[in-house]
Amino acid sequence: MQQFREMKQRGERITSLTAYDYPTARLLDESGIDIILVGDSVGMVVLGYEDTTQVTLDEMLHHTRAAARGVKRAVLVADMPIHTYNTPEQAVATARALVDAGAQAVKFEGGVTHAAHIEAVVDRGIPFMAHIGMLPQRVREEGGYKLKGRTPSEAEALMLDAKAVEAAGAFAVVLEIVAAEAARQISAAVQIPTIGIGSGPHCDGEILVTHDLIGLFPWFKPKFVKQEADVATAIRGAASAFIARTRLNS
Ligand code: KIV
């Protein structure tokens, strides 16, 4: 994972997208993406749950195995679902299961509170990507996907989180929906790359949920996403054409 620190030092931005299945992972891999994340966002954009808090480890293992079959070049990171890293020991067991399913690295949500959990995973030789800022697994307690790091005390807490995950051995840290100025300061203060999502232009890389990028989940569009394709419209168009053609020939 040293390559990502070196990219940061060279000022080369790191790219990351999610994939939960073989064809998407293979297409992203062939496109040259740096990191493919089997995110627990699978719960929302593929499994139809309201948020990520219902995703199970079995589901993550299933999707990690599928994505891993399509990846030859990119680094494949798998998310650890809620309640599967409550203790450092449980975090290690979950991380091992995801690595056995084909992940090269794992990610879970939390900063200072989870430094010991991260250290335990990294000590077992499993590369770890951290995730701080807005934590989707806490969306119910938080009452929504709200911007973090706007006030000085929130920005300071995020800085402590970033330094804690770096000290614990994370190779990179996702900053989710963090105020741009806080994200800029954190990116300047840590040696590991920051990978932003909805966190302004100053992070060392960017990550997006692929369904948002390609317009495959039209029922919810995060404000910060610049959509590059409209796959939902393409699917509806192809299905309508098929239905019309088939009915015409009956
Ligand atoms: O689950 C996911 O897709 C994520 C990204 C939004 C960072 O954690």
Side-chain angles (χ1 to χ4, degrees):
M1 303 300 149
Q2 181 60 22
Q3 57 172 320
F4 297 119
R5 259 180 205 249
E6 290 167 4
M7 286 174 77
K8 172 169 177 142
Q9 283 157 8
R10 291 195 296 268
E12 263 172 59
R13 298 193 83 224
I14 297 159
T15 58
S16 182
L17 287 168
T18 59
Y20 322 103
D21 58 60
Y22 171 82
T24 310
R26 185 169 171 179
L27 288 167
L28 296 181
D29 195 53
E30 290 173 0
S31 304
I33 200 84
D34 297 310
I35 299 173
I36 294 176
L37 172 69
V38 188
D40 62 355
S41 50
V42 67
M44 297 168 77
V45 298
V46 172
L47 303 177
Y49 298 145
E50 198 180 320
D51 55 45
T52 60
T53 65
Q54 286 157 279
V55 176
T56 66
L57 180 56
D58 277 349
E59 287 165 343
M60 290 307 300
L61 292 171
H62 173 82
H63 288 281
T64 299
R65 282 187 207 103
R69 289 182 202 112
V71 178
K72 288 205 173 85
R73 191 200 41 77
V75 169
L76 186 70
V77 180
D79 251 345
M80 299 191 13
I82 192 167
H83 304 316
T84 67
Y85 53 95
N86 290 339
T87 63
E89 297 70 32
Q90 191 193 18
V92 170
T94 305
R96 281 198 173 128
L98 287 163
V99 167
D100 287 346
Q104 290 163 277
V106 296
K107 165 169 100 51
F108 55 73
E109 299 176 7
V112 171
T113 52
H114 286 77
H117 306 57
I118 297 171
E119 226 167 79
V121 168
V122 174
D123 278 356
R124 301 315 192 282
I126 300 174
F128 183 81
M129 182 155 92
H131 184 157
I132 65 173
M134 197 285 137
L135 305 180
Q137 290 176 6
R138 295 190 50 83
V139 66
R140 293 184 182 199
E141 291 93 320
E142 300 270 328
Y145 298 90
K146 295 180 182 157
L147 182 70
K148 293 285 176 178
R150 211 178 351 201
T151 64
S153 66
E154 263 189 25
E156 178 57 23
L158 282 176
M159 181 66 84
L160 294 177
D161 281 337
K163 289 186 174 168
V165 301
E166 176 175 44
F171 72 87
V173 55
V174 170
L175 303 185
E176 179 155 357
I177 322 184
V178 169
E181 178 54 20
R184 189 191 66 73
Q185 288 182 15
I186 291 168
S187 302
V190 296
Q191 305 300 307
I192 56 172
T194 57
I195 315 287
I197 173 162
S199 298
H202 307 297
C203 295
D204 303 303
E206 286 291 323
I207 183 166
L208 279 183
V209 170
T210 297
H211 287 58
D212 296 334
L213 179 73
I214 65 172
L216 184 50
F217 196 79
W219 307 281
F220 176 72
K221 295 185 185 181
K223 277 189 241 138
F224 54 80
V225 173
K226 183 174 178 300
Q227 196 179 312
E228 298 286 356
D230 189 353
V231 175
T233 299
I235 290 177
R236 286 177 175 137
S240 299
F242 170 77
I243 292 164
R245 167 162 49 90
T246 305
R247 287 185 182 150
L248 205 65
N249 292 337
S250 63

